[in-house]
Amino acid sequence: AGEFLMGSPDAEGYPNERPRHKVFLDAFWIDKYEVTAARYRAFAEKTGLAVHKQPFPDKEDCPVLYVDWNEAQGYCRSLGKRLPTEAEWEKAARGGSPARYFFGDDERKLGDYAWYWDNSGKRVHPVGKKKPNAFGIHDMHGNALEWTADFYNANSYSTSPERNPQGPAEGADRVVRGGSVYVSADLSRSAQRMKGPPSNQYSARGFRCAAPAAGQSAAGTAREENDLRAVSFELSPASAAVLLGKGFAIEGFARIPKGAELKFDLSAQPTGPFEILGASAGEAKEEGDYSLVPLRIEAAAFELGPLVFPALRWTLAAAGGALETVQSPPVRVVVEPPETARQEGAELRDIKEPL
């Protein structure tokens, strides 16, 4: 939570980026990486949605493209999240810096942090390969443009509220942010604003999701305290397999209604070149009407390379004894030898504090 300067000073940028103004935002989470093709495809298969052909179908760890605004919002909602507001996006992109880019004003350094016109080869690249900003977030200055939640108005900054702005109440277009492989360094700045019709699917636009921090509610996603469907899983790879067949762990958390109990269902394991050895839930921490339950899943892999867990099944028991089977979103990990072990598909929830 806190205050930052949004927009560009008078001598910089374009008219729709002014006036520069102070904005205070309540604490929130935002994805560390752009949503990948693999993650979106798993969601689409589960929900029956069609997926537009991706430019590089052999690169499932690239950001998903050709997703319209409603499809992006639908993906985020399925995980108990939402698209970030324009203000949230800019605060996350700035990484605490008021400069043109989160690393400063020298655009000659942009290639270290972003895929853009000069270095991309005019194609998207796997997420997270460039240096992150001070908040640990990748690809905010490039790779794919990103949808935000707000309606677009070129003059909205003149009347925008100082605290938790949500954008105009209506409009024909939605705000698009970030740089991309098809834009110049100048159009990759933190304050740069673009727009797009919500029904438009574009070859260089993707998205990432956001969520309110503890004790706050996501706009449009209020849930009843005992609604068993109000379960938001955030599972992130904690470590890659250190040796073939030796096992690895996935750690994360589940947000469940207060008073409920979560148990892993070992009788319905997902299938693949791995074996789930066990799962455990830690001590719950209350957050408003929900409880945050730490999770740890231990597994062994039978081959190196990417593994996608299509679903992890849990049984949720409410305080009154009712039972419901719930599933996590797909989880992708990369199994590698220990000297090159790295994380794939993790989200900003790996970072210790919300923004």
Side-chain angles (χ1 to χ4, degrees):
E3 190 177 82
F4 77 105
L5 285 174
M6 185 172 181
S8 293
D10 290 343
E12 183 180 301
Y14 297 91
N16 67 347
E17 301 167 20
R18 297 191 285 270
R20 177 170 255 191
H21 55 292
K22 290 182 179 180
V23 171
F24 181 94
L25 294 178
D26 292 335
F28 66 97
W29 301 101
I30 193 168
D31 288 353
K32 184 175 181 178
Y33 302 127
E34 293 167 319
V35 174
T36 63
R39 283 176 172 244
Y40 188 81
R41 193 180 306 281
F43 158 75
E45 289 174 353
K46 182 179 178 181
T47 57
L49 290 176
V51 180
H52 192 288
K53 182 179 179 180
Q54 298 297 295
F56 308 103
D58 59 326
K59 300 293 185 181
E60 288 283 89
D61 52 355
C62 286
V64 66
L65 305 173
Y66 293 105
V67 176
D68 70 28
W69 187 91
N70 288 295
E71 290 167 339
Q73 187 75 300
Y75 173 92
C76 294
R77 295 291 195 207
S78 76
L79 301 179
K81 300 189 286 186
R82 52 169 171 74
L83 288 171
T85 66
E86 183 178 17
E88 288 172 339
W89 193 98
E90 184 167 328
K91 181 178 182 180
R94 288 189 173 280
S97 171
R100 287 161 53 87
Y101 308 96
F102 60 68
F103 53 83
D105 290 323
D106 188 355
E107 69 177 45
R108 293 174 298 179
K109 298 180 180 179
L110 182 60
D112 293 335
Y113 300 91
W115 297 109
Y116 70 114
W117 181 264
D118 288 358
N119 70 348
S120 66
K122 315 307 177 288
R123 57 163 294 169
V124 293
H125 294 261
V127 301
K129 299 303 182 184
K130 292 295 186 178
K131 294 179 182 178
N133 68 12
F135 292 158
I137 312 172
H138 293 260
D139 299 318
M140 297 298 272
H141 284 317
N143 217 12
L145 298 169
E146 299 179 18
W147 287 115
T148 72
D150 294 16
F151 284 112
Y152 176 82
N153 184 311
N155 302 311
S156 61
Y157 285 6
S158 298
T159 57
S160 180
E162 181 176 337
R163 191 178 184 94
N164 298 318
Q166 303 293 308
E170 58 184 8
D173 298 312
R174 296 285 181 170
V175 175
V176 175
R177 285 303 204 108
S180 88
V181 297
Y182 294 138
V183 304
S184 65
D186 181 62
L187 297 180
S188 301
R189 293 172 295 104
S190 298
Q192 168 68 19
R193 305 178 73 202
M194 301 182 190
K195 63 180 180 177
S199 61
N200 180 252
Q201 296 177 323
Y202 175 54
S203 61
R205 185 172 54 229
F207 67 100
R208 71 183 74 216
C209 304
Q216 302 166 45
S217 62
T221 59
R223 304 283 180 81
E224 295 295 331
E225 179 175 347
N226 293 320
D227 181 0
L228 291 183
R229 294 168 297 172
V231 179
S232 172
F233 286 93
E234 296 297 338
L235 298 177
S236 303
S239 60
V242 294
L243 284 175
L244 185 63
K246 292 289 185 174
F248 60 97
I250 300 171
E251 292 182 338
F253 67 86
R255 183 188 294 272
I256 66 175
K258 188 186 299 183
E261 182 181 3
L262 193 66
K263 294 183 179 180
F264 188 67
D265 184 3
L266 287 172
S267 66
Q269 292 192 21
T271 59
F274 53 85
E275 177 185 6
I276 294 181
L277 305 177
S280 60
E283 183 177 353
K285 178 182 177 181
E286 291 190 2
E287 292 192 344
D289 294 335
Y290 296 90
S291 295
L292 198 65
V293 183
L295 305 177
R296 179 180 174 86
I297 301 166
E298 296 181 355
F302 304 136
E303 63 182 45
L304 297 176
L307 300 178
V308 177
F309 293 77
L312 296 165
R313 297 173 63 88
W314 300 78
T315 299
L316 184 68
L323 298 176
E324 180 167 313
T325 299
V326 293
Q327 295 183 338
S328 74
V331 179
R332 183 179 188 272
V333 295
V334 172
V335 184
E336 295 182 315
E339 62 271 14
T340 59
R342 57 190 170 90
Q343 297 184 25
E344 290 281 345
E347 299 190 5
L348 184 60
R349 293 183 186 274
D350 297 330
I351 296 174
K352 300 305 180 184
E353 299 293 335
L355 302 182

